[in-house]
Amino acid sequence: MLAPWYQLCALLPAPWSQFLFLQHALLAILLLCPLLGLLGTLAVGNRMAFFADAVAHASLTGLAIGVLLGATSPLPVMLVFAALFATVLTVLRRQSSASTDTHIGICAAAAVALGLTLLSRGRGLAQFTSYLAGDLLSIAPAELLALAGAGCVCLLVWWFAFNRFLLASFNPALARSRGDNIAALEFSFSILLAMLVTLALPWVGLLVINALLIIPAAAARNLSRTMRGYHGIAVGGGLCCGLAGLALSYYADTATGATVALLAALWYFITVPFSRRPR
Amino acid sequence: MTAATRADAGPDDLATVQRSPARRAGAAAGSSMTRHACGSCCTKLSRLVVRLGTSTVLDGIDLHLHCGELTALIGPNGAGKTTLLRALLGELPFSGEVRFLDAATGRRRRPRFGYVPQSLEFDQGAPLTVADLFAAALARFPVWLGHTAALRARATAALARVQADHLFDRRVGDLSGGELQRVLLALALEPLPDLLLLDEPVAGVDAGGRENFYGLICALRRDFDLSILLVAHDLDLVARHADRFVLLNRTVIAVDTPAAVLAHPECVRLFGRLTPDPALRHPHAVLPHAGSHA
């Protein structure tokens, strides 16, 4: 199914384009970076940076449960657990405003602790460490197709529901007065975000996934004044950082996820002088 | 509004006004229907009770809000003014009935609300223009890809109603307090609601801006035969513009003309006796035109 992609890669002038694993990694970057950048725009607007990080941590509990259940691939269990965790966090977010970050911190810590406890009992801690840094170069065609599928779902949701998400994010009371169901919107965005983060986790790595989600959008905020500009710069910036990071990690022999995150952080700091000061 | 003042208001009032289709009904801009100024459409609140936990915050609220009338909700802090608005908007559970009687069809249904929030808290740095905000509220085409020509036309027309069409391409975070209130008012009026709810709309706006804002909503009330419920603190200013005052303190204490409610013993006890304003006796005599309040 990926044959056309291989032919396309073979046309690239770069010496590394002949390696199959790099062709896969390149496709993964092309799928993941724009997607995370796209969802990052609303995650930043809703102040959900910490939320996404907590969900990524909680995915490890899903991994542990999956391993204990003897599943050949722990991913479905991880996705279900991430969705559950996102639901619980959203309930907490909705109930209290002042101490939400404390609640999220406690839930994330509890989930990680549970995951570590379960994994250490089953002597599965080695699996855990591979999720910390992620391994983009080991992605297989079937997993690429899963990412492409997730990408289609995200794009569909973004096409049909983004306007509703945006109004609810701007002012919930205003959105409600216009007939929007705020609870449904908050839960669906949280769950969508949690599942995308979990799906990307094995390739990007727990320690840097939030960078790919939050930083392109945060940098785009500094440079844009309209929603279209915001999305364009977030997606484009994420993609450029991803491609540059993949190339750099190949030549410098470093972890791809971390290299991409580092470049993204650099990109953010470049945009800071252009940010607007609050009125 | 009485029949006499309605007759005095002139032929403009009886002209039909463009009424945009409900957002749920379809595309960003479509066919329009018209609404005649009638004064007989009415939102009725019957036996409305709001309980929070074990305490009853609002009890036995009975109110009739007629179209073409500006009703100001006054009362001390904690009287339940904002609570009443939040209950109407469906943010708080309540018992009792809220129904809109549509004089044109004779049917009773749930009213459609327009809402301008109190001191709007939002992300000042957000990359969001006024056009983006209108597109998010009115259009199906995703805002992150831009705006359709239909949306631009509809939003510009909505903004023109409040003389704010020049703000179309401005970033929402860059607007002044008064400009933001006008943009939100324009949004609340598109599509035209059965009942417009304003929660201290001019908090944080300077005196000139307040006068302008009230002048504007008075003109809109007349031009679009709107029913408006307004929570207000600046009593003397609102008294010059409102048709009716509702004194609220957990329940409805008094409903009457502004002058009569301000003279009510409970109102005097709560707010003291306000200096009589000569304009109060003939509130409609000083009603400004929309055009003079750009």
Side-chain angles (χ1 to χ4, degrees), chain B residues 235-255:
Chain B
L235 300 187
D236 47 347
L237 181 57
V238 178
R240 271 187 274 135
H241 296 288
D243 298 299
R244 282 198 307 166
F245 265 21
V246 174
L247 177 60
L248 190 78
N249 199 358
R250 307 259 163 169
T251 187
V252 176
I253 309 280
V255 184

Side-chain angles (χ1 to χ4, degrees), chain A residues 6 23 33 47 95 101 103 107 136 155 171 193 195 203 239 245 260 272:
Chain A
Y6 299 142
Q23 294 177 352
C33 287
R47 297 166 197 273
Q95 276 179 354
D101 56 341
H103 284 144
C107 287
L136 194 71
L155 273 182
N171 186 283
L193 190 60
M195 295 184 76
W203 324 118
L239 195 58
V260 172
V272 167

Side-chain angles (χ1 to χ4, degrees), chain A residues 100-114:
Chain A
T100 305
D101 56 341
T102 315
H103 284 144
I104 295 182
I106 292 168
C107 287
V112 172
L114 179 64

Side-chain angles (χ1 to χ4, degrees), chain A residues 158-159 162-164 166 170-171 173-174 176-180 221 224-228 230-231 276 279, chain B residues 23-24 89 91 120 123-125 127 129 132 135-136 138-139 141 143-145 169 171 173 175 187 190:
Chain A
W158 229 239
W159 183 279
F162 178 77
N163 291 7
R164 308 272 63 73
L166 178 63
F170 177 73
N171 186 283
L174 182 66
R176 201 179 285 108
S177 76
R178 305 188 74 91
D180 287 340
R221 255 174 85 93
S224 55
R225 56 182 299 283
T226 69
M227 269 295 140
R228 186 162 71 167
Y230 184 33
H231 278 76
R276 272 176 300 272
R279 212 160 23 95
Chain B
R23 170 159 60 80
R24 300 294 179 212
L89 287 169
E91 286 188 52
L120 186 75
D123 193 355
Q124 293 275 326
T129 61
D132 288 334
L138 299 170
F141 188 72
V143 183
W144 53 281
L145 290 177
D169 280 317
R171 208 175 60 83
L175 299 178
L187 191 58
E190 183 63 35

Side-chain angles (χ1 to χ4, degrees), chain B residues 171-185:
Chain B
R171 208 175 60 83
V172 175
D174 292 337
L175 299 178
S176 72
E179 288 172 332
L180 179 62
Q181 284 306 338
R182 277 200 282 169
V183 165
L184 291 171
L185 180 63

Side-chain angles (χ1 to χ4, degrees), chain A residues 143-155:
Chain A
E143 291 148 353
L144 282 170
L145 289 179
L147 276 186
C152 290
V153 172
C154 288
L155 273 182

Side-chain angles (χ1 to χ4, degrees), chain B residues 74-278:
Chain B
I74 65 168
N77 286 333
K81 305 184 292 290
T82 296
T83 305
L84 178 58
L85 258 52
R86 292 183 61 198
L88 287 175
L89 287 169
E91 286 188 52
L92 294 173
F94 63 88
S95 61
E97 200 184 35
V98 178
R99 276 284 169 269
F100 176 75
L101 175 68
D102 193 332
T105 62
R107 273 199 221 122
R108 291 158 69 85
R109 57 176 166 82
R110 213 186 98 78
R112 183 169 48 233
F113 296 109
Y115 176 53
V116 176
Q118 190 179 18
S119 65
L120 186 75
E121 281 180 12
F122 69 98
D123 193 355
Q124 293 275 326
L128 180 84
T129 61
V130 172
D132 288 334
L133 181 62
F134 271 81
L138 299 170
R140 286 182 178 216
F141 188 72
V143 183
W144 53 281
L145 290 177
H147 318 120
T148 58
L151 179 274
R152 294 186 77 87
R154 191 176 172 194
T156 312
L159 284 165
R161 281 180 187 160
V162 299
Q163 293 97 47
D165 38 339
H166 60 291
L167 301 175
F168 184 76
D169 280 317
R170 291 271 295 280
R171 208 175 60 83
V172 175
D174 292 337
L175 299 178
S176 72
E179 288 172 332
L180 179 62
Q181 284 306 338
R182 277 200 282 169
V183 165
L184 291 171
L185 180 63
L187 191 58
L189 293 176
E190 183 63 35
L192 274 183
D194 300 320
L195 178 60
L196 178 63
L197 301 172
L198 305 170
D199 193 354
E200 295 185 45
V202 285
V205 177
D206 60 54
R210 286 168 187 234
E211 187 67 52
N212 273 353
F213 189 85
Y214 284 127
L216 178 65
I217 58 171
C218 280
L220 290 167
R221 164 198 58 180
R222 195 186 50 214
D223 294 346
F224 295 101
D225 201 36
L226 272 178
S227 179
I228 305 175
L229 183 60
L230 165 85
V231 171
H233 278 309
D234 33 10
L235 300 187
D236 47 347
L237 181 57
V238 178
R240 271 187 274 135
H241 296 288
D243 298 299
R244 282 198 307 166
F245 265 21
V246 174
L247 177 60
L248 190 78
N249 199 358
R250 307 259 163 169
T251 187
V252 176
I253 309 280
V255 184
D256 211 329
T257 61
V261 170
L262 289 177
H264 190 277
E266 181 64 11
C267 194
V268 172
R269 190 184 69 78
L270 287 166
F271 300 106
R273 194 169 288 279
L274 292 170
T275 356
D277 186 329

